[in-house]
Amino acid sequence: FLPAYLVGTIPFGLLITRALGLGDLRAIGSGNIGATNVLRTGNKRAAAATLLLDAAKGAVAVLVARHFLGEAAAIVAGLGAFIGHLFPVWLRFRGGKGVATFLGVTLALAPLAGLLCCAVWAATAATFRYSSLAALVSAATAPVWLALFGPPQSAWLGLVLAALVWVRHRANIGRLLGGAEPRIGRKAQ
């Protein structure tokens, strides 16, 4: 758990925006360190790199743990990387919302389940143009996909990841309900 947690704590969005001179990501848009907020800087390549690297840290933790310690360790490592992204010690435990890392963990644990989560995210985002809503719907389906297509005992991880994604999006849920959530491609107010 601890090595995976440490991998998860790497704040790629923050590092990329600083390296490109885009300012402190925590002072832009929503203040989140993830890919959606990096996109608000106007730099699509930086947002894509953040998305891929945040997903990769979840996937790498799962794959390395599985290779050396087996399936049960892979599940624990997935949780560790995800928790590391949400609560990084380096940022006073104020991390991202975990969507890309959740997708990376799910893809590595069970590729079909992960692809289905990605498809649900993409379909919801394309239909409604809200990244947060797409994340919430995708996360809600993860326990089902993992129960159907994942390794034994992975559905519980899907439940934990989904619950934490929903908790981290509580402000977004309020804005969605109030009609104030920014749509994909628009800057946050």
Side-chain angles (χ1 to χ4, degrees), residues 157-168:
L157 178 63
L159 284 170
V160 171
L161 299 182
L164 288 169
V165 166
W166 276 71
V167 167
R168 296 296 285 187

Side-chain angles (χ1 to χ4, degrees), residues 160-184:
V160 171
L161 299 182
L164 288 169
V165 166
W166 276 71
V167 167
R168 296 296 285 187
H169 281 80
R170 63 189 175 277
N172 301 84
I173 294 168
R175 287 192 299 271
L176 283 165
L177 292 173
E181 181 75 348
R183 292 186 183 268
I184 293 172

Side-chain angles (χ1 to χ4, degrees), residues 91-175:
L91 300 178
R92 297 183 185 162
F93 303 102
R94 286 181 253 162
K97 295 183 181 176
V99 179
T101 307
F102 143 73
L103 291 172
V105 166
T106 308
L107 281 163
L109 271 179
L112 181 55
L115 289 172
L116 287 166
C117 286
C118 290
V120 168
W121 188 97
T124 306
T127 303
F128 298 102
R129 306 294 297 160
Y130 291 109
S131 178
S132 58
L133 180 62
L136 293 166
V137 174
S138 177
T141 66
V144 175
W145 303 136
L146 286 170
L148 293 172
F149 306 112
Q153 307 297 322
S154 63
W156 74 262
L157 178 63
L159 284 170
V160 171
L161 299 182
L164 288 169
V165 166
W166 276 71
V167 167
R168 296 296 285 187
H169 281 80
R170 63 189 175 277
N172 301 84
I173 294 168
R175 287 192 299 271

